[in-house]
Amino acid sequence: MNSSNILSTRVRFARNLEATPFPSNLSPEKKKELLLKVKDTAKKLFPNLDYIDAMQLTTAQAGSLMEERLISPEFANNRDGAGLLLSKDKNLAIMLNEEDHLRIQTFEKGYALDKAFKRAVETDVALDNELKFAYSENLGYLTHCPTNLGTGMRASVLVHLPALTDSGVINKTVSLISQYGFTVRGLYGEGTRSEGGLYQISNQISIGLTEEEILERLGEILEKIEENEASLREKYIENIEIQDKIFRAYGILQNARTISSKEAVTLLSRVRYGAEAGLLKLDFEDLDSLLVKIQPYNLCETNPQQRDIKRAQIIRNSLC
């Protein structure tokens, strides 16, 4: 599989403690008790995890974590009684008291489903031995949302599909994927739209399949999508108009003095397209890191005009 257009991989487990109501049904006091219990247990098992009290986060700090995809939009917007455990390399993040008692998340750069899954399982097993997760022989892991029943797992890949997007074929692709129990979402997950041809592809159903079967099917779907994207790219990249768009985008980003978030993501998508096709000699990881740095909350600038100026400066410094 050509993984140059796959930005990152994430595996997430939704877990709840047995004989304990879901966070939405806990009083503030019980919610706090649960948070402290899980936090202390996790810190004992994984001393290198840093704890972040979600209630102490500013809106900008929570937004920045969301833009890094370390927390969900739901967590960022409803932080009462919630907390976050985060590894120093940011490859492991455990949300506490979001929809479920725990959301164990592992992240890897590029396409690395097996590696992300292995780390998630190791974390899950260690915590389950101490905390005892709610599990039913018939339903699997018990979760707040019925769609997470079964394995409680969401495996997702963030992929860049500019050719499928520009051609309009992406709509047909999304429809086809949904028939196989998978879904396509925007950059920040459920309820968010795609920007710059970036999509999260993940399983929609977690019951009736094993974790390994879900990963295998996701891999198969990604291969098909990659084949379709590659076929279109081979056709489009020879088009002088497409090449012109790529190099114009590169030139604007190298010289712009002010730029909005939407325009920056669109142009960076074209530049990444050029890098993936070999037209531009740029590092993928640098481009992916840049996509996060230029997001509104990560810029730490409240004035919209100053934010657009700062964004343009960061991009110029990175690409020139």
Side-chain angles (χ1 to χ4, degrees):
M1 183 185 298
N2 172 30
S3 59
S4 66
N5 64 321
I6 296 180
L7 282 70
S8 62
T9 303
R10 183 189 70 174
V11 171
R12 189 207 75 198
F13 288 151
R15 297 291 187 258
N16 292 280
L17 276 59
E18 62 182 11
T20 307
F22 296 129
S24 59
N25 292 321
L26 287 174
S27 67
E29 293 77 17
K30 291 295 183 182
K31 207 172 180 180
K32 184 177 180 180
E33 285 180 18
L34 178 84
L35 184 144
L36 291 174
K37 177 181 179 180
V38 176
K39 181 196 78 170
D40 291 344
T41 301
K43 288 282 288 179
K44 181 182 72 174
L45 293 169
F46 308 104
N48 290 329
L49 288 177
D50 293 323
Y51 176 70
I52 299 170
D53 184 345
M55 295 181 69
Q56 299 301 314
L57 292 172
T58 64
T59 300
Q61 288 170 332
S64 178
L65 289 168
M66 183 192 71
E67 288 170 350
E68 292 185 76
R69 301 175 63 243
L70 298 171
I71 63 173
S72 64
E74 292 81 7
F75 186 96
N77 294 325
N78 184 16
R79 304 191 299 278
D80 289 346
L84 178 70
L85 290 160
L86 185 63
S87 63
K88 289 178 172 43
D89 60 8
K90 295 185 177 181
N91 281 353
L92 173 64
I94 305 174
M95 291 185 288
L96 308 180
N97 283 339
E98 193 228 31
E99 225 181 40
D100 297 288
H101 297 152
L102 297 90
R103 290 283 179 98
I104 301 167
Q105 304 176 106
T106 55
F107 306 88
E108 295 294 338
K109 294 177 181 177
Y111 181 68
L113 279 172
D114 290 341
K115 187 176 180 181
F117 176 65
K118 181 181 178 182
R119 188 171 189 182
V121 168
E122 290 171 350
T123 307
D124 178 48
V125 170
L127 288 168
D128 189 19
N129 288 336
E130 296 288 331
L131 296 169
K132 307 302 177 188
F133 294 145
Y135 185 84
S136 163
E137 290 296 330
N138 294 324
L139 298 174
Y141 287 100
L142 303 182
T143 57
H144 180 273
C145 181
T147 60
N148 288 323
L149 288 171
T151 63
M153 183 179 84
R154 285 286 181 274
S156 66
V157 170
L158 182 62
V159 60
H160 184 222
L161 304 173
L164 285 170
T165 301
D166 290 345
S167 66
V169 178
I170 190 65
N171 295 324
K172 183 179 178 181
T173 302
V174 170
S175 178
L176 184 63
I177 288 173
S178 65
Q179 295 177 26
Y180 290 90
F182 287 77
T183 186
V184 180
R185 293 174 171 139
L187 185 58
Y188 302 118
E190 188 173 1
T192 63
R193 63 184 182 181
S194 167
E195 298 283 358
L198 294 169
Y199 304 89
Q200 279 194 59
I201 301 175
S202 63
N203 60 300
Q204 198 166 22
I205 300 171
S206 63
I207 195 168
L209 296 169
T210 66
E211 291 91 342
E212 290 78 11
E213 287 171 335
I214 291 171
L215 295 177
E216 183 178 353
R217 290 191 183 187
L218 178 55
E220 291 172 354
I221 285 172
L222 285 169
E223 280 192 17
K224 292 294 183 183
I225 293 172
E226 286 287 314
E227 288 175 8
N228 293 338
E229 172 73 14
S231 177
L232 283 171
R233 285 188 185 205
E234 188 175 350
K235 172 185 174 182
Y236 284 0
I237 205 65
E238 298 299 325
N239 188 316
I240 191 65
E241 292 183 1
I242 296 295
Q243 293 183 19
D244 186 61
K245 284 182 179 180
I246 289 170
F247 284 101
R248 279 179 182 271
Y250 191 38
I252 291 171
L253 291 173
Q254 286 181 309
N255 294 281
R257 262 45 188 176
T258 176
I259 191 167
S260 69
S261 176
K262 185 175 182 179
E263 183 184 13
V265 171
T266 299
L267 296 181
L268 280 169
S269 171
R270 291 176 183 168
V271 167
R272 200 183 201 284
Y273 188 5
E276 291 161 5
L279 296 178
L280 296 171
K281 302 301 181 183
L282 297 169
D283 185 90
F284 298 130
E285 287 191 15
D286 290 343
L287 292 174
D288 298 344
S289 176
L290 192 56
L291 275 171
V292 175
K293 290 177 182 177
I294 63 165
Q295 295 302 317
Y297 287 117
N298 266 287
L299 289 171
C300 301
E301 180 60 64
T302 56
N303 181 286
Q305 185 180 39
Q306 291 301 315
R307 192 163 57 222
D308 290 350
I309 292 172
K310 186 174 182 179
R311 180 181 294 111
Q313 183 180 30
I314 290 172
I315 294 172
R316 289 199 311 274
N317 290 342
S318 178
L319 296 182
C320 291

